[in-house]
Amino acid sequence: MAGSAHATLAGLRRSRSPRTPGGTRPVRTTAPLAAVAVVFTLAQLLLVRPGMGLGWDEAVYVSQVSPQAPAAFFSAPRARGVSLLVAPVASWSTSTALLRIYLAVLSGLALYLALRAWRGLFPVRVLALAGALFASLWVTLFYGPQAMPNYWVAVGALAAVACFLRARADRADRGALWGLAVSAALMALMRPMDAVWVVLPLLALGLARRHWRALAVLLAGLAAGGAEWVIEAFADYGGLVRRLSEGSEIQGGLGWHLAVVDQLRSLGGRALCRPCTGDVPHPVVTVWWFVLPLLAVLGLVVAVRARRTTATLLPLACAATAAFPYLFMIGYAAPRFLLPAYALLALPVADALTYLLTAPRRPWRPVVAALLCLGLAAHLAVQLAVLENTVDGATESHGAWSRTATALHRLGVRPPCLLTGDEAIPVAFYTGCSSAATAGHNANSTEEAIIRTARRIPVAVLVPGGSRPPGYARDWPSEPLDGQRLYYSLPGSGR
């Protein structure tokens, strides 16, 4: 069947390397993929400092299982997948460095498995290049070792599409069915709504071609991964519709929002662009973003000629649906939101680049090859520069939270304790305290409850410089620190 995944698989089965006397295939069929994963892991450990403190969202996820601090407020859009992912380390150790090393190794292994799922659908050299392109993006390197969900949705999406193609091409491929179920469950466990957007093209193709078995496995995987989130919606949020509504409200109200320019602004290293104002980064930083879809289209043309149209068109479609809500439905941006799209687009882009580098000899081929090598080298240099700047900024902000925690300990605010006010959630985690908010997206308490708590345990309010404290804290002693003012109350001390 021309242009189908089945035709691709059949042709590549005939051309596979023979088995060794021991019955296994030569190591070279997966060695390039393993090499990419190893380099990716080492790059994370070298470039994203393992000792870099935890960020705001990381503190929320880790606090659910860590002995370092009580669990922070868990807002409606969040899912428990990251907390489960970090539990093997965070449940018994408070070492951020150990957690980063664990996540870096795990993310490298996950990338290898996701790429390996595509063997037979694309040549190994294309897969290795796709993995290298995705892994060399600053946003991939930065979030690979972080306790955040987006990278895991990305590798889950990459594996899910491959396993779906394999399952529809070979009904006897039980490994593909298991891979599809696990990858779908991983996505749903990390970010249920992102998982739904990613698999829309898979569902459409499965229904159109009546691939009932693959569809059933895909839906079962999504249900298994999202079950906890749905159950929690009824137990803690007043139902699924209410949780979805609260999640939409926290994200500024889902609807038509043109966030393309916001995403461009975030490419310079802004972890969260909300509100997303300011200039777009220099074109040298953003040019790859405009080249990416052009190369992806070229990759589709190459795929049509190579008779693997479906194997290229399906990840392109899934990349488009994964990116759509973050480009057109929310009023802010974060570069990590598009990681699933980048992972899926890497395949056709790598196919296009491989074609340009290895096309039948023509007079222009050496020139094109030289230009591509220079362009890729420049692209890598830019990505590493943005990464270094982003890591420095994150390290500084996390260090400020650590200094605030040290100051609070010096003032006598030690566990058990309660923090509220500006950036209370991450500072509370560093201090070992609970956190509370009386307004905003993380509201989980009232002023009366905070006053009652202050009679029992130490309570501190973090107020930005130049702002007034809440009424109940105006008579508390205070100290300035890093542009803030700390108001605190110690029960039994007269303060």
Side-chain angles (χ1 to χ4, degrees):
M1 189 188 308
S4 71
H6 180 78
T8 303
L9 283 169
L12 284 167
R13 283 195 193 101
R14 290 192 296 268
S15 63
R16 278 181 183 175
S17 303
R19 293 182 181 273
T20 62
T24 59
R25 301 211 178 266
V27 176
R28 66 175 180 270
T29 58
T30 58
L33 309 183
V36 169
V38 169
V39 172
F40 174 53
T41 300
L42 293 176
Q44 292 176 73
L45 296 176
L46 291 173
L47 301 174
V48 184
R49 302 164 195 146
M52 183 178 69
L54 296 180
W56 185 311
D57 292 295
E58 289 185 291
V60 174
Y61 290 120
V62 175
S63 71
Q64 309 302 310
V65 295
S66 174
Q68 180 168 331
F73 177 73
F74 209 75
S75 60
R78 300 187 188 277
R80 302 280 175 179
V82 173
S83 299
L84 293 175
L85 182 74
V86 302
V89 170
S91 61
W92 58 270
S93 172
T94 60
S95 170
T96 302
L98 181 61
L99 182 60
R100 295 266 186 249
I101 293 170
Y102 162 75
L103 289 173
V105 172
L106 208 59
S107 63
L109 176 61
L111 180 62
Y112 168 74
L113 294 175
L115 292 173
R116 194 175 186 276
W118 284 90
R119 284 194 314 159
L121 296 167
F122 283 90
V124 171
R125 63 184 178 183
V126 172
L127 298 179
L129 179 57
L133 291 172
F134 175 61
S136 62
L137 293 176
W138 76 261
V139 64
T140 309
L141 285 164
F142 186 68
Y143 284 104
Q146 292 206 38
M148 296 289 282
N150 309 86
Y151 174 82
W152 301 98
V153 176
V155 291
L158 192 60
V161 177
C163 292
F164 186 87
L165 286 167
R166 287 183 173 280
R168 69 183 286 267
D170 185 358
R171 292 176 57 85
D173 192 343
R174 298 179 64 86
L177 292 174
W178 278 106
L180 179 60
V182 171
S183 53
L186 175 65
M187 289 190 291
L189 190 62
M190 294 295 170
R191 289 181 73 90
M193 297 310 300
D194 282 16
V196 172
W197 282 101
V198 167
V199 304
L200 285 178
L202 304 185
L203 296 174
L205 180 62
L207 288 171
R209 298 292 179 87
R210 299 181 180 180
H211 299 302
W212 306 124
R213 192 178 187 188
L215 270 178
V217 171
L218 174 62
L219 292 173
L222 292 175
E228 189 280 332
W229 196 84
V230 173
I231 293 170
E232 189 178 52
F234 287 97
D236 298 336
Y237 295 91
L240 183 58
V241 174
R242 180 64 180 274
R243 184 169 195 176
L244 290 171
S245 176
E246 285 188 23
S248 173
E249 182 181 349
I250 288 173
Q251 293 177 311
L254 296 179
W256 182 254
H257 297 283
L258 189 61
V260 176
V261 177
D262 293 342
Q263 284 291 345
L264 277 175
R265 290 192 179 102
S266 72
L267 291 179
R270 298 174 67 174
L272 182 63
C273 196
R274 186 180 190 183
C276 206
T277 57
D279 297 329
V280 173
H282 192 279
V284 74
V285 175
T286 60
V287 65
W288 70 273
W289 214 64
F290 296 99
V291 173
L292 190 67
L294 299 178
L295 287 174
V297 172
L298 176 59
L300 180 58
V301 174
V302 171
V304 172
R305 296 179 61 179
R307 299 179 62 187
R308 53 171 179 264
T309 305
T310 305
T312 298
L313 187 58
L314 195 58
L316 278 173
C318 291
T321 56
F324 182 83
Y326 293 115
L327 293 176
F328 302 108
M329 292 186 65
I330 62 173
Y332 65 99
R336 58 188 170 86
F337 291 162
L338 296 182
L339 273 171
Y342 297 150
L344 292 164
L345 287 173
L347 290 165
V349 168
D351 207 13
L353 291 174
T354 302
Y355 170 78
L356 292 174
L357 289 169
T358 63
R361 183 170 297 278
R362 292 186 175 90
W364 47 261
R365 197 178 86 170
V367 176
V368 171
L371 291 176
L372 284 177
C373 291
L374 287 174
L376 289 173
H379 170 69
L380 179 60
V382 170
Q383 295 300 306
L384 293 179
V386 175
L387 176 66
E388 181 180 12
N389 182 66
T390 305
V391 170
D392 288 343
T395 301
E396 174 56 32
S397 64
H398 301 170
W401 295 335
S402 180
R403 290 191 297 273
T404 301
T406 300
L408 287 166
H409 288 162
R410 175 175 52 82
L411 294 171
V413 181
R414 300 186 183 91
C417 48
L418 176 70
L419 266 61
T420 186
D422 188 50
E423 298 184 330
I425 287 179
V427 175
F429 180 81
Y430 280 72
T431 312
C433 300
S434 300
S435 58
T438 59
H441 301 318
N442 297 305
N444 63 343
S445 188
T446 63
E447 290 194 358
E448 292 75 15
I450 293 173
I451 293 171
R452 289 196 301 270
T453 302
R455 300 191 186 108
R456 300 184 292 102
I457 60 175
V459 174
V461 183
L462 312 177
V463 180
S467 300
R468 300 185 65 183
Y472 62 82
R474 288 174 186 167
D475 295 331
W476 292 358
S478 65
E479 284 199 12
L481 178 69
D482 285 343
Q484 291 181 316
R485 196 158 195 93
L486 309 179
Y487 291 80
Y488 61 98
S489 171
L490 305 179
S493 65
R495 294 189 292 177

